[in-house]
Amino acid sequence: MERALSGSVDSRASLHTVSSINAAQLAARLESYESGEKKSISDVRRTFCLFVTFDLLFITLLWIIELNVDGGIEKQLSKEVLYYDYHSSFFDIFVLAVFRFTLLILAYAVCKLRHWWAIAITTAVTSAFLIVKVIISKLLTQGAFGYLLPIMSFVLAWIETWFLDFKVLPQEMEDEHRFQSVPDDSERAVLIQPGPLSDGQFYSPPESVADSDEETEEKQDHEKPVL
């Protein structure tokens, strides 16, 4: 009888332990879901936007250095901007970086777009423009920056495409699927949560007559005086 009662108490304790663990896990997932819903932008998308900003700042820095190398900023700005020449000016590469930054930030930071069409436009325009410019213009005769600016602009544009297509969009889709599964898990946890145990769960079968006789004999043997 005592063994049955202790077994029932242990099973009840284990059930409460399991239910408490499930409740804690569910609460953690719900908290993660709510925090994810409250975020205006995901972490991986924020990293992408920072990289797009780095693209603009890096190309701008290279262009400013190129302006200082050839006789001062004022003189070179007048030559490359006011008297713009497609065959020798680097100003259009800077404008291309501004175009990428503006379109990508509007699409993926402001509008929170979840499609690749915006990055496809910027990458296609950048690639086509740079390939044509390198073939037609005389940039390769203007020293190191004639190589560096077109190559870096081309590489950064394709890194942005890779990062969005292989990191940002798949990660956000995976997070969305995981968050959508949280309500289903909460309903399932409510269904399997153990309720209060009834008195019937402490019922133990009556002892058999044979077991009673054996216990009586053992008791009598213990009561016999030792000679």
Side-chain angles (χ1 to χ4, degrees):
M1 181 71 176
E2 293 179 356
R3 289 195 298 268
L5 288 175
S6 61
S8 300
V9 172
D10 293 339
S11 62
R12 184 177 183 181
S14 62
L15 286 174
H16 279 291
T17 303
V18 172
S19 63
S20 61
I21 294 174
N22 291 336
Q25 293 176 350
L26 180 61
R29 293 190 64 184
L30 287 173
E31 183 179 356
S32 174
Y33 172 73
E34 292 174 356
S35 62
E37 287 292 326
K38 291 178 182 178
K39 281 185 179 180
S40 59
I41 187 171
S42 64
D43 294 337
V44 66
R45 185 178 289 255
R46 187 184 299 111
T47 304
F48 171 77
C49 294
L50 287 175
F51 187 79
V52 172
T53 305
F54 167 77
D55 176 13
L56 174 64
L57 295 178
F58 186 68
I59 297 300
T60 303
L61 179 63
L62 289 179
W63 184 49
I64 292 174
I65 295 174
E66 184 270 333
L67 293 176
N68 276 324
V69 169
D70 294 335
I73 293 180
E74 293 182 359
K75 179 181 177 180
Q76 288 301 115
L77 277 177
S78 175
K79 178 182 177 181
E80 294 193 10
V81 178
L82 298 180
Y83 302 98
Y84 170 74
D85 183 7
Y86 176 80
H87 296 84
S88 60
S89 178
F90 293 99
F91 176 65
D92 47 12
I93 297 180
F94 166 74
V95 173
L96 199 60
V98 174
F99 163 73
R100 286 198 305 273
F101 172 81
T102 304
L103 183 57
L104 294 178
I105 292 298
L106 284 176
Y108 298 109
V110 179
C111 300
K112 301 181 182 64
L113 188 67
R114 293 190 176 185
H115 199 272
W116 47 263
W117 65 263
I119 193 77
I121 291 175
T122 58
T123 305
V125 171
T126 299
S127 301
F129 181 85
L130 291 175
I131 290 173
V132 172
K133 185 174 180 66
V134 168
I135 294 174
I136 297 177
S137 68
K138 302 176 182 178
L139 292 181
L140 302 182
T141 62
Q142 298 187 21
F145 286 98
Y147 295 88
L148 187 60
L149 272 169
I151 291 174
M152 292 307 303
S153 182
F154 185 86
V155 170
L156 289 173
W158 278 98
I159 291 177
E160 290 167 355
T161 304
W162 172 83
F163 192 79
L164 180 77
D165 198 24
F166 289 93
K167 296 293 182 181
V168 178
L169 298 182
Q171 174 103 33
E172 289 184 344
M173 187 176 299
E174 181 181 351
D175 292 342
E176 184 178 358
H177 290 330
R178 187 172 67 250
F179 291 157
Q180 287 176 353
S181 67
V182 171
D184 298 335
D185 291 342
S186 62
E187 294 174 1
R188 192 179 302 111
V190 171
L191 292 176
I192 65 174
Q193 188 173 6
L197 297 176
S198 62
D199 295 336
Q201 290 174 296
F202 290 98
Y203 170 77
S204 61
E207 298 178 355
S208 62
V209 178
D211 294 338
S212 323
D213 294 339
E214 290 177 0
E215 291 180 359
T216 305
E217 291 176 359
E218 291 178 359
K219 190 180 296 183
Q220 289 176 357
D221 292 337
H222 287 296
E223 292 176 357
K224 287 181 181 180
V226 180
L227 297 179

